[in-house]
Amino acid sequence: MTDALDPANASKATLKLENTEKRDALIAIEKKYQQFWAENHVFETDAPTVDEDPTTDPDTLRERHPKFFGCMAYPYMNGTLHAGHSFSLSKVEFQTGYARMQGKRALFPLGFHCTGMPIKACADKLKREVELFGMNFENCPEEDDAPKEPPPPSNAVAKEDVTKFAAKKGKAAAKAVKVRWQFQIMLAIGIPLEEIHKFADPHHWLGYFPPLCQRDCNSLGLRIDWRRSLITTDVNPYYDAFVRWQMNRLRQLGKIKYGERYTIYSPKDGQPCMDHDRSDGEGVGPQEYTGIKIKVLEWTKEAKAEIEDKLPEGANVYMVAATLRPETMYGQTCCFVGPTITYGIYQVSTTEFYLCTERAARNMAYQKIFPEEGKYPCVAKILGKTLVGSLVKAPLSVHTSGVHVLPMDTVLATKGTGVVTSVPSDSPDDYATVVDLAKKADYYGIKKEWAELEIPPIIKTPSYGDKTAEFLVKKLKINSPKDAKQLVEAKELAYKEGFYQGIMLVGNFAGEKVETAKPKVRAQLFESGEAFAYAEPEGAVMSRSGDPCIVALLDQWYLDYGEQEWRTQTETFVKDRLNSYHEETKNGLMANLGWLNQWACARSFGLGSKLPWDTQFLVESLSDSTIYMAYYTIAHYLHRTIDGKEPGLAGLSADQMADEVWDYIFCQRELSHEVVEKYNLPLDWLKKMRREFEYFYPLDVNISGKDLIQNHLTFFLYIHVAIFPPKYWPNGIRANGHLMLNGEKMSKSTGNFLTLSETVNKFGADAARIAFADAGDSVEDANFEEKVANAAILRLYTLKEWCEEIVKEAEAGKLRTGPKDTFWDQVFENEVNELVEATKKHYDGTSYKLALKTGYYEFQAARDTYREATGSIGMHKDLVLDWIKKQTLMINPIAPHWAEYVWQELLKQPTTIQNELFPTASAPISPALTAARNYVQNVASNVTSTEAAQLKKKAKGKGTSYDPKKPKQLTIYVALNYPSWQEKYIDLVREAFDGVTLSINDKELNGRVAKMGEMKKAMPFVQGLKKRLATEPPKAVFERRLAFDEVDTLKQIVPTLKRTTGCKNVSVVVVDEGGKAGKNVDGEVVENLPPLAEGADPGNPRFEFTNIE
């Protein structure tokens, strides 16, 4: 337990750094420029004033002065930020940094979310613990003496409704700290013991954690405009007025309604328990069933003995089964119970009793099923195996004389009612079970005929006929009820086929499609009194107060998500206009819009803003955080402090911010003279606020973890569509995966966890940012690799030192000047231009891992090649200084501190690099130089492999006399023309090449080459053509000419080859047709060429090492 309370324990398994001098030097630079940016207000971004541009048309203003506005879902303030937050922040940050370099006014604000249950629940726990144990918790019992709490429920429940979108896990559950008391959790996150008692006041949290969040964001060098920050709840009266306006408008638009609806509910807290109020079960919603009333006709002897004196005479007992498929009730052949489950018999009225699990009865008690809310009087308890053999009447079943209760080992007490009605015609689970029961009747202690009632066909499907379950069980080779994996697959197939394609064969609605008949059958059962509506959480939910939640049927205020017109409008927007960056995100949003339904928007406990027309309620935390991005645009006009205590630029009080004022700013509604006078409104300032909003809106991107697709991101879209004109609906949503650490899930309990503060303190800001960029850009889970961050420290420091050295040499006149006309000068400049263009493309596509690859790693590799190749003459001053400048600019979005240092202190630029534009190519990219560079790289690689092959032959005693330790010569054999036999293969490749996709059908091509009978000779040639097509214009390849002069290129690199191979001489021989003779570059004839020379063709030379005297 002591370890668990030590904050350092959470990161005990992470990388330990030893020599930190280089890191510390980089951190010193980072701190210097963070202070510089803050003092110079570098990241404070405003709309153009009327003096800068007098136009009043927002579209014209944005066209003349391009803008970018991005944000992250604001973090919750019950702790400090961790590396996962940092990853989402980094996506906004890199996009903001690059947008600035595109000449845009880029805005990146960040607020602090405090609404809801979590803070209040934790504060109340601390208040109780202070009362129990003293201000410093000195009287807390030892762990062994403390009463044990049951573990929280897992949310690993099989998905019941296959059409719903759901995240796989809740963040709260994934990060839970296994300690008993709240004060211990506070110790574990680093709060000093003597400070903890202050957190018993929930408002203390609001003053404590936001400054730490701002500190940590600044330490990472984020380009945040802090003037626009805020905290939610009524602590900030301006934001409170904004939320009240939002709720009033939604109610006026008919989007907020009042009435009975199912909601996840905490009996202990006495209020709905929404996502942010849960310690486990985030994303879990109510699942509505049809509760089938299966009347007991005849008890078994054992059951009768147990209950006969506990029920009044004439009592009717109904076993209640929860089903999602009421339309299949015609096919019931038995009723299942769990043999080891303890059931209760609960009194509903003087003569009616329900048999189910206690968990199900607890749910029913809050759904107006029992007479008194919260009460479910139990008159008897009975074990499932005692019920086996009882005769019951199954509503709608063709077996009108009754069916029997049978055992089913897979029945769960934690799902449904514990009673399962059996329809073996359409349920693979039921079919597999009744077959197994019939085979082993003696083992199960039942009569065989109970399990062998006729299975009537009730639904016909095009794929599986009229016995869907039997068909799928046989097709998937399911041999017993224990084949769980196959049964899950069969169930999903049966459900989808039956619902969407099935036709009813029996009952009042025979001939109708199942999806049409289903609600009709349900209504018929309700009307006859043979069923009722029942709901429960679709998975386990635990409130932050430690209460297992149920589903309650409440009169409450709710947002009518899912209402047909609203949903259609939002779906059309997502499908046609929204940039989702990844198709998976768009699919997730569409799936969520497809099933999301009414959402309780009010609660009675926690922190927040009061519902303006019903002040006994608070606006719940996911409903006050949907359009705060609009608030960011004008926040600095309203207040100077995040709590709104100090008025902002406009000098307005919160009381002046009436609903009509928000309408004027955000919804293009004009203010009446009466409103202006009533609230004494300064119109000049309100015009500025409207201009600010209309310039920055719509939001360009909202970035968050993919787990928020199911709530925040979908709500964000719905409310924007409801409140704002279409031109202000958001441009984009980017969802990223969860962040792993060193390839493993982040977990405090395993010590594989880092806070943002720890990350920056360990690696420095820029090295950490490089690791975040390297972690990944898709919606799949990303990986922050500490080794990458650690290696980045050395690379940044080494590069800094090299740049310092080069600048000194340039100033001292030690670098080459004059024309930049050598082969290597030209190749280097061309490659720099290529990499600049490639990196721009990657930044444009928000592919930061690739931008880092081309604009940092490959850019430095190009410099290394140039430096090595020009070793004898030196690098050109202009080119190498230009390289430093471009490297500094290209890495600036990702590593701005390093870039700022080089920009200002080495390159002596007068202004911050944060206002500079992204570099451009100095000249059009030359395909000839690109081809020459690729050729040279291949030559270098092939030279190395040639020498290795010759040495391998010698080791095997295959006749070569070459000795690398003696003086040696390299001969390169070059062909200027292709051999005539290659013509037909040129034609084959041309025919297989797709000029649109620039790809080749390899399967077809290889088959045709094989038929020519020259695979050994032809395939290397074909592969060479394909390789050239990847980098050269197709026309140049197919017209059998190189984009560059091969002989001249080889002559240019001879000095480099001499140096890298250690050869005394490097000779280039141009081979004649046939390969028997040729001429060297001086025109001298060379006879008796080795056989390998014949294999040379244009762009594909051959190499030979020999010894010389």
Side-chain angles (χ1 to χ4, degrees):
M1 177 57 71
T2 303
D3 282 347
L5 303 185
D6 182 0
N9 188 60
S11 58
K12 67 181 180 183
T14 60
L15 187 68
K16 302 295 183 287
L17 303 188
E18 294 181 359
N19 299 319
T20 62
E21 295 86 355
K22 294 179 175 64
R23 177 202 69 186
D24 296 343
L26 293 172
I27 288 178
I29 290 171
E30 290 164 358
K31 297 299 181 190
K32 173 181 178 179
Y33 284 105
Q34 286 164 12
Q35 183 178 349
F36 170 83
W37 295 330
E39 289 175 352
N40 290 277
H41 310 285
V42 172
F43 302 134
E44 294 179 4
T45 305
D46 296 301
T49 64
V50 175
D51 290 338
E52 291 177 85
D53 192 322
T55 183
T56 57
D57 177 53
D59 295 331
T60 302
L61 192 63
R62 283 192 296 271
E63 187 178 340
R64 293 175 183 170
H65 310 273
K67 64 90 185 178
F68 169 80
F69 178 18
C71 71
M72 180 189 88
Y74 49 23
Y76 197 75
M77 288 294 100
N78 59 346
T80 55
L81 302 182
H82 56 69
H85 290 114
S86 315
F87 183 60
S88 289
L89 284 165
S90 74
K91 296 302 180 192
V92 194
E93 167 66 10
F94 299 153
Q95 206 162 345
T96 302
Y98 179 62
R100 293 179 69 98
M101 300 191 77
Q102 293 175 296
K104 298 178 181 179
R105 298 191 184 214
L107 177 61
F108 176 11
L110 185 68
F112 308 110
H113 198 200
C114 307
T115 307
M117 277 276 291
I119 290 174
K120 184 71 166 63
C122 292
D124 287 353
K125 287 180 185 177
L126 285 173
K127 184 178 180 181
R128 175 66 175 153
E129 289 169 19
V130 168
E131 293 171 355
L132 286 172
F133 308 134
M135 186 173 290
N136 291 320
F137 312 98
E138 58 272 14
N139 299 319
C140 180
E142 294 295 326
E143 183 64 20
D144 291 343
D145 299 332
K148 302 293 187 228
E149 288 187 341
S154 166
N155 192 27
V157 179
K159 193 167 155 186
E160 189 70 22
D161 187 339
V162 295
T163 64
K164 283 192 177 183
F165 170 83
K168 293 181 180 176
K169 62 185 179 182
K171 292 187 290 182
K175 297 181 287 190
V177 181
K178 306 300 182 185
V179 291
R180 174 163 170 70
W181 304 105
Q182 182 63 41
F183 83 86
Q184 294 170 331
I185 294 174
M186 305 301 284
L187 280 172
I189 64 173
I191 307 298
L193 182 65
E194 62 276 10
E195 296 282 321
I196 292 176
H197 69 91
K198 297 177 183 177
F199 290 86
D201 174 5
H203 292 104
H204 185 69
W205 299 65
L206 279 59
Y208 186 86
F209 286 112
L212 295 183
C213 174
Q214 183 171 348
R215 176 203 69 188
D216 293 345
C217 289
N218 285 338
S219 74
L220 192 59
L222 301 183
R223 300 172 172 91
I224 294 172
D225 184 347
W226 290 112
R227 299 172 304 156
R228 301 171 185 268
S229 194
L230 62 107
I231 54 173
T232 65
T233 77
D234 54 7
V235 167
N236 182 328
Y238 295 94
Y239 192 78
D240 185 55
F242 171 72
V243 172
R244 293 199 310 272
W245 162 76
Q246 172 190 334
M247 302 308 285
N248 279 331
R249 288 295 169 259
L250 288 170
R251 188 184 180 206
Q252 290 167 5
L253 290 165
K255 307 303 183 185
I256 293 179
K257 297 177 180 176
Y258 188 76
E260 281 190 351
R261 60 177 299 280
Y262 289 117
T263 190
I264 304 294
Y265 183 83
S266 166
K268 179 179 178 180
D269 298 332
Q271 67 171 6
C273 184
M274 310 314 286
D275 275 6
H276 286 184
D277 304 330
R278 304 173 188 177
S279 62
D280 194 32
E282 185 177 352
V284 172
Q287 176 66 66
E288 187 172 347
Y289 296 91
T290 301
I292 304 294
K293 295 166 64 175
I294 303 172
K295 186 176 181 179
V296 179
L297 301 177
E298 184 181 325
W299 297 100
T300 63
K301 285 184 181 180
E302 295 84 354
K304 187 174 183 179
E306 284 194 31
I307 65 170
E308 62 182 347
D309 60 339
K310 299 175 183 177
L311 293 170
E313 192 162 342
N316 292 316
V317 177
Y318 296 90
M319 300 177 71
V320 179
T323 182
L324 290 169
R325 305 194 65 186
E327 75 281 5
T328 66
M329 292 302 97
Y330 301 101
Q332 295 176 84
T333 63
C334 64
C335 172
F336 292 128
V337 293
T340 61
I341 294 175
T342 298
Y343 294 87
I345 299 177
Y346 300 93
Q347 186 168 4
V348 181
S349 68
T350 54
T351 58
E352 193 163 308
F353 297 80
Y354 289 168
L355 186 152
C356 59
T357 59
E358 181 180 2
R359 173 186 163 280
R362 184 170 180 251
N363 274 275
M364 292 178 194
Y366 291 89
Q367 296 173 22
K368 298 180 171 57
I369 293 170
F370 289 98
E372 189 176 349
E373 183 173 302
K375 302 290 179 65
Y376 45 104
C378 180
V379 300
K381 296 276 187 182
I382 191 165
L383 199 60
K385 66 180 181 180
T386 310
L387 297 167
V388 172
S390 298
L391 184 68
V392 296
K393 177 177 174 54
L396 298 184
S397 173
V398 299
H399 298 289
T400 55
S401 59
V403 299
H404 286 88
V405 177
L406 298 180
M408 189 182 202
D409 292 333
T410 55
V411 173
L412 298 173
T414 55
K415 191 158 191 68
T417 60
V419 177
V420 178
T421 186
S422 172
V423 184
S425 60
D426 288 79
S427 168
D429 287 282
D430 296 352
Y431 181 81
T433 300
V434 295
V435 169
D436 188 60
L437 289 170
K439 284 181 183 176
K440 305 173 184 176
D442 292 341
Y443 172 80
Y444 287 110
I446 65 169
K447 292 182 179 180
K448 187 176 182 182
E449 58 265 29
W450 294 349
E452 289 186 326
L453 287 185
E454 179 192 355
I455 300 174
I458 59 171
I459 294 172
K460 185 175 181 64
T461 64
S463 301
Y464 312 131
D466 58 10
K467 294 285 183 71
T468 293
E470 181 180 354
F471 182 97
L472 287 170
V473 164
K474 290 177 179 177
K475 180 183 178 182
L476 298 177
K477 296 181 172 56
I478 296 169
N479 298 313
S480 83
K482 294 181 180 178
D483 293 336
K485 185 176 179 182
Q486 298 100 304
L487 281 168
V488 168
E489 181 184 356
K491 178 180 179 179
E492 184 169 331
L493 291 170
Y495 182 93
K496 284 188 174 179
E497 176 85 5
F499 182 74
Y500 293 112
Q501 304 293 331
I503 301 294
M504 298 296 298
L505 297 176
V506 297
N508 294 347
F509 310 105
E512 294 190 18
K513 292 188 69 174
V514 167
E515 59 183 319
T516 303
K518 178 176 181 173
K520 295 179 181 179
V521 175
R522 190 171 194 247
Q524 178 184 324
L525 286 164
F526 287 176
E527 189 176 339
S528 67
E530 294 175 296
F532 58 89
Y534 165 72
E536 63 179 40
E538 58 190 356
V541 179
M542 181 70 76
S543 77
R544 290 185 183 269
S545 59
D547 186 29
C549 292
I550 51 96
V551 166
L553 184 62
L554 299 176
D555 284 321
Q556 61 182 163
W557 296 104
Y558 62 88
L559 277 155
D560 197 16
Y561 295 136
E563 183 271 320
Q564 190 58 53
E565 184 180 353
W566 195 10
R567 170 184 157 184
T568 300
Q569 200 175 14
T570 308
E571 285 178 331
T572 302
F573 166 64
V574 171
K575 186 174 61 173
D576 297 343
R577 281 180 49 193
L578 185 76
N579 177 10
S580 63
Y581 292 82
H582 304 105
E583 199 61 30
E584 299 95 321
T585 300
K586 189 179 289 285
N587 292 340
L589 289 166
M590 291 298 289
N592 206 48
L593 287 165
W595 72 263
L596 181 68
N597 216 317
Q598 301 161 351
W599 182 270
C601 59
R603 62 152 59 81
S604 54
F605 177 78
L607 301 178
S609 298
K610 290 182 171 62
L611 207 58
W613 62 87
D614 196 348
T615 55
Q616 64 177 313
F617 293 112
L618 298 168
V619 179
E620 69 92 24
S621 61
L622 282 166
S623 299
D624 82 338
S625 54
T626 54
I627 57 170
Y628 57 85
M629 310 82 191
Y631 188 89
Y632 281 147
T633 65
I634 62 165
H636 58 308
Y637 284 98
L638 299 175
H639 48 80
R640 296 181 187 276
T641 55
I642 60 173
D643 59 5
K645 285 189 168 56
E646 186 179 339
L649 296 173
L652 287 158
S653 71
D655 291 338
Q656 290 176 283
M657 295 305 294
D659 286 356
E660 294 87 348
V661 178
W662 299 106
D663 285 338
Y664 171 81
I665 296 169
F666 295 141
C667 298
Q668 299 178 309
R669 297 184 188 177
E670 295 308 313
L671 288 166
S672 69
H673 180 70
E674 292 77 16
V675 170
V676 173
E677 283 199 343
K678 179 180 178 181
Y679 295 103
N680 191 25
L681 297 173
L683 282 177
D684 286 348
W685 282 107
L686 294 183
K687 286 178 182 177
K688 290 178 182 178
M689 293 162 72
R690 177 191 266 191
R691 182 181 176 91
E692 192 86 6
F693 165 74
E694 292 183 340
Y695 173 73
F696 281 114
Y697 244 58
L699 181 73
D700 290 293
V701 65
N702 185 4
I703 294 178
S704 81
K706 60 185 176 184
D707 51 295
L708 294 189
I709 289 174
Q710 65 190 341
N711 44 53
H712 165 67
L713 292 175
T714 305
F715 299 175
F716 157 75
L717 293 172
Y718 258 126
I719 304 302
H720 271 83
V721 167
I723 286 185
F724 296 108
K727 68 178 182 178
Y728 294 132
W729 297 353
N731 287 331
I733 283 179
R734 179 175 184 146
N736 48 258
H738 299 294
L739 185 70
M740 295 190 293
L741 180 58
N742 303 322
E744 302 288 339
K745 186 180 79 171
M746 280 209 299
S747 168
K748 291 180 180 179
S749 61
T750 62
N752 193 51
F753 189 87
L754 283 175
T755 64
L756 171 53
S757 177
E758 288 170 332
T759 304
V760 174
N761 288 339
K762 180 182 281 192
F763 301 111
D766 283 343
R769 291 167 65 113
I770 285 172
F772 283 127
D774 184 74
D777 296 300
S778 76
V779 76
E780 300 302 319
D781 288 351
N783 181 34
F784 182 93
E785 191 67 60
E786 288 190 285
K787 289 180 181 177
V788 171
N790 194 32
I793 295 172
L794 178 60
R795 183 178 282 268
L796 285 167
Y797 187 84
T798 303
L799 184 58
K800 177 184 80 73
E801 285 196 318
W802 181 84
C803 291
E804 290 168 344
E805 179 185 342
I806 291 298
V807 169
K808 285 180 183 176
E809 289 184 6
E811 290 172 348
K814 295 181 179 179
L815 295 179
R816 176 166 57 94
T817 57
K820 299 175 291 183
D821 56 1
T822 72
F823 171 77
W824 286 110
D825 289 344
Q826 293 171 15
V827 165
F828 177 57
E829 185 173 15
N830 189 67
E831 185 174 10
V832 164
N833 289 335
E834 279 187 275
L835 291 170
V836 166
E837 293 293 332
T839 304
K840 180 182 184 301
K841 180 180 176 182
H842 296 322
Y843 273 126
D844 285 337
T846 68
S847 298
Y848 304 112
K849 186 180 180 75
L850 291 176
L852 193 66
K853 176 176 178 284
T854 56
Y856 188 59
Y857 297 119
E858 290 181 4
F859 202 66
Q860 290 172 45
R863 178 230 27 205
D864 294 342
T865 300
Y866 179 58
R867 178 172 55 182
E868 184 178 335
T870 57
S872 59
I873 60 172
M875 296 181 290
H876 195 284
K877 174 184 173 182
D878 294 346
L879 289 177
V880 74
L881 289 179
D882 181 66
W883 182 93
I884 292 175
K885 182 178 181 181
K886 284 186 166 70
Q887 173 66 103
T888 305
L889 290 165
M890 285 200 296
I891 199 62
N892 179 52
I894 294 172
H897 309 85
W898 186 94
E900 194 75 78
Y901 167 79
V902 175
W903 188 255
Q904 291 198 35
E905 299 193 29
L906 301 186
L907 299 180
K908 309 299 183 187
Q909 299 295 321
T911 58
T912 174
I913 195 173
Q914 305 310 319
N915 295 333
E916 295 297 321
L917 297 177
F918 198 79
T920 56
S922 60
I925 294 168
S926 165
L929 287 171
T930 299
R933 186 188 75 245
N934 293 333
Y935 174 81
V936 167
Q937 291 172 346
N938 289 334
V939 165
S941 174
N942 290 334
V943 164
T944 303
S945 60
T946 296
E947 186 170 24
Q950 287 186 230
L951 293 176
K952 190 174 182 181
K953 277 187 178 181
K954 182 175 183 180
K956 291 182 177 181
K958 292 193 176 179
T960 180
S961 60
Y962 171 64
D963 185 347
K965 296 179 182 177
K966 294 180 180 179
K968 56 186 179 179
Q969 169 179 286
L970 169 65
T971 304
I972 303 174
Y973 299 102
V974 182
L976 298 183
N977 299 303
Y978 290 97
S980 56
W981 64 266
Q982 294 176 352
E983 291 288 349
K984 53 182 174 289
Y985 296 106
I986 290 274
D987 293 337
L988 286 181
V989 174
R990 184 189 287 110
E991 290 169 13
F993 181 71
D994 188 324
V996 177
T997 62
L998 303 182
S999 62
I1000 288 178
N1001 185 332
D1002 284 322
K1003 187 176 181 180
E1004 178 187 337
L1005 176 63
N1006 293 344
R1008 295 182 68 183
V1009 171
K1011 289 179 181 178
M1012 308 289 270
E1014 300 177 302
M1015 283 288 285
K1016 190 171 182 180
K1017 180 168 70 170
M1019 279 312 292
F1021 171 68
V1022 169
Q1023 294 297 340
L1025 287 176
K1026 288 164 60 179
K1027 199 170 184 180
R1028 286 184 59 196
L1029 284 168
T1031 58
E1032 298 179 44
K1035 184 177 180 181
V1037 176
F1038 291 131
E1039 288 184 359
R1040 299 170 66 77
R1041 59 182 175 82
L1042 299 179
F1044 61 97
D1045 186 320
E1046 184 175 9
V1047 174
D1048 185 62
T1049 299
L1050 286 170
K1051 288 165 63 177
Q1052 297 289 345
I1053 67 171
V1054 162
T1056 304
L1057 289 173
K1058 281 184 179 180
R1059 188 167 63 255
T1060 56
T1061 62
C1063 287
K1064 295 287 186 183
N1065 184 41
V1066 174
S1067 176
V1068 177
V1069 176
V1070 179
V1071 181
D1072 295 338
E1073 179 77 34
K1076 304 300 183 186
K1079 294 179 181 178
N1080 64 23
V1081 292
D1082 295 325
E1084 299 173 353
V1085 175
V1086 183
E1087 303 280 0
N1088 301 318
L1089 299 183
L1092 65 85
E1094 188 180 357
D1097 51 53
N1100 189 18
R1102 294 293 181 262
F1103 310 93
E1104 182 183 39
F1105 281 92
T1106 54
N1107 292 119
I1108 57 175
E1109 296 301 329

